[in-house]
Amino acid sequence: MKTFKKLVIYGISLSLFTGCENLFVEKEVLIAEKHPMKSSFSDIFTEIPNDFMVELDENVDSENEEPPGTEEPEALPVVSNPEAMDVMVNKFWSLPEGYRPGDLVKPNVPFSFGNENSDRSKLRAEAAESLEVMFQAARGDGIELYARSGFRSFETQSTIFQNEIATSGYDRAVLYVALPGTSEHQTGLAMDITAKSVGLELVEEIENTAEGKWLAENAHHYGFILRYPKGKTDITGYAFEPWHFRYVGIDMATEIFTKDITLEEHMGDVRGF
């Protein structure tokens, strides 16, 4: 073993530092002296002293290499109807730069964060009115719902996205958080809804609570759809979110619910993931 490793190091050194005049001899040595206990040349090469390997590594050109997950996303086409109630924004369609609805209002419903008058408490007027009616209907059925997150600006979404990357990594971030400019929350038509039974948090466990079941079965009567349903990640690009409800209007919501499809399927724009 020792004799062979010396021959390998010597042969490589000749190629690197004295030219290629002995290259043919080196090949003969490597083939003739290969030890039967080694499965390949790479097995022996890894045993070359570290100081020699470092010298080789320093000559590797890595200037153009980028850390994983840092590549800038390609520019997406921009929707032409950002004000429409059925506008579809997702991983393939974005909102116009700086878009902010002009009719944001705070619905008269309970919020998980109290009586705070901030962007996250607001929806577009039509959606806000329908949310009030839905919460009242739920209360009549003994269901107590809480709104948690409505409108988000581009800047707020960017902060949330970067925080999620720092906490969970890029791959998980893009599964649960929209890239800035592609969030339904920026349309002013989406509200995250929670309940005391899950500690007013946004968790999948709400699916099996009385509140979660009521929402899944009745939201369409008030124009809302469960935007990211279970088993549809290959279509929506997002993980199951039983708390995320999107206003599209009663007729469309009823059709989507009845057919058990997503907004992408309804629009005939399914790309797949």
Side-chain angles (χ1 to χ4, degrees):
M1 290 291 290
K2 291 182 179 178
T3 301
F4 180 74
K5 283 192 282 187
K6 286 181 181 179
L7 287 172
V8 174
I9 296 171
Y10 176 71
I12 296 174
S13 298
L14 284 175
S15 294
L16 292 175
F17 304 115
T18 64
C20 299
E21 59 269 22
N22 293 321
L23 181 58
F24 182 75
V25 176
E26 291 169 26
K27 289 183 177 179
E28 290 184 338
V29 171
L30 291 175
I31 295 172
E33 299 295 332
K34 184 175 180 181
H35 197 284
M37 295 298 291
K38 293 293 183 180
S39 60
S40 68
F41 173 65
S42 62
D43 293 332
I44 299 169
F45 191 79
T46 59
E47 293 184 19
I48 296 175
N50 289 335
D51 55 345
F52 186 77
M53 292 301 293
V54 170
E55 189 172 349
L56 290 178
D57 290 341
E58 289 175 349
N59 294 323
V60 176
D61 182 11
S62 60
E63 291 182 359
N64 296 323
E65 293 183 3
E66 295 184 0
T70 60
E71 301 87 353
E72 290 189 9
E74 296 182 5
L76 297 177
V78 177
V79 298
S80 60
N81 60 337
E83 299 290 336
M85 292 297 150
D86 63 352
V87 62
M88 183 173 72
V89 294
N90 54 21
K91 293 180 184 291
F92 299 106
W93 291 99
S94 67
L95 290 164
E97 184 177 356
Y99 175 74
R100 182 184 178 93
D103 60 344
L104 291 172
V105 296
K106 181 180 178 180
N108 183 22
V109 299
F111 287 90
S112 64
F113 45 82
N115 193 31
E116 175 186 301
N117 187 26
S118 60
D119 274 354
R120 63 176 176 168
S121 68
K122 297 175 181 178
L123 288 175
R124 292 188 60 189
E126 183 177 329
E129 182 178 354
S130 292
L131 189 76
E132 292 177 352
V133 175
M134 183 169 72
F135 272 47
Q136 290 170 3
R139 193 177 304 115
D141 290 339
I143 300 296
E144 188 177 13
L145 302 174
Y146 288 83
R148 176 162 173 140
S149 184
F151 175 76
R152 292 180 201 156
S153 66
F154 179 97
E155 293 74 19
T156 298
Q157 188 68 27
S158 180
T159 298
I160 292 172
F161 185 72
Q162 293 303 323
N163 288 343
E164 187 67 22
I165 291 177
T167 302
S168 307
Y170 183 85
D171 290 342
R172 180 176 173 81
V174 295
L175 191 60
Y176 285 94
V177 182
L179 287 167
T182 69
S183 172
E184 285 207 324
H185 287 281
Q186 193 179 345
T187 67
L189 298 171
M191 179 62 78
D192 292 337
I193 303 173
T194 185
K196 287 184 177 179
S197 60
V198 290
L200 299 180
E201 298 295 331
L202 301 178
V203 290
E204 286 190 15
E205 286 75 13
I206 196 173
E207 174 195 14
N208 299 315
T209 65
E211 296 88 352
K213 292 176 180 179
W214 190 95
L215 282 167
E217 295 170 2
N218 293 283
H220 64 283
H221 294 308
Y222 309 95
F224 288 88
I225 60 171
L226 177 60
R227 182 64 177 91
Y228 305 120
K230 180 179 287 186
K232 297 285 189 175
T233 300
D234 60 328
I235 295 175
T236 65
Y238 292 101
F240 175 43
E241 292 190 358
W243 58 82
H244 182 105
F245 287 85
R246 158 68 195 275
Y247 183 77
V248 294
I250 294 176
D251 291 342
M252 184 182 294
T254 300
E255 182 176 347
I256 289 173
F257 174 82
T258 302
K259 292 182 177 180
D260 191 25
I261 59 176
T262 63
L263 183 59
E264 282 80 7
E265 291 170 295
H266 177 80
M267 293 294 190
D269 188 7
V270 176
R271 313 293 181 93
F273 292 88

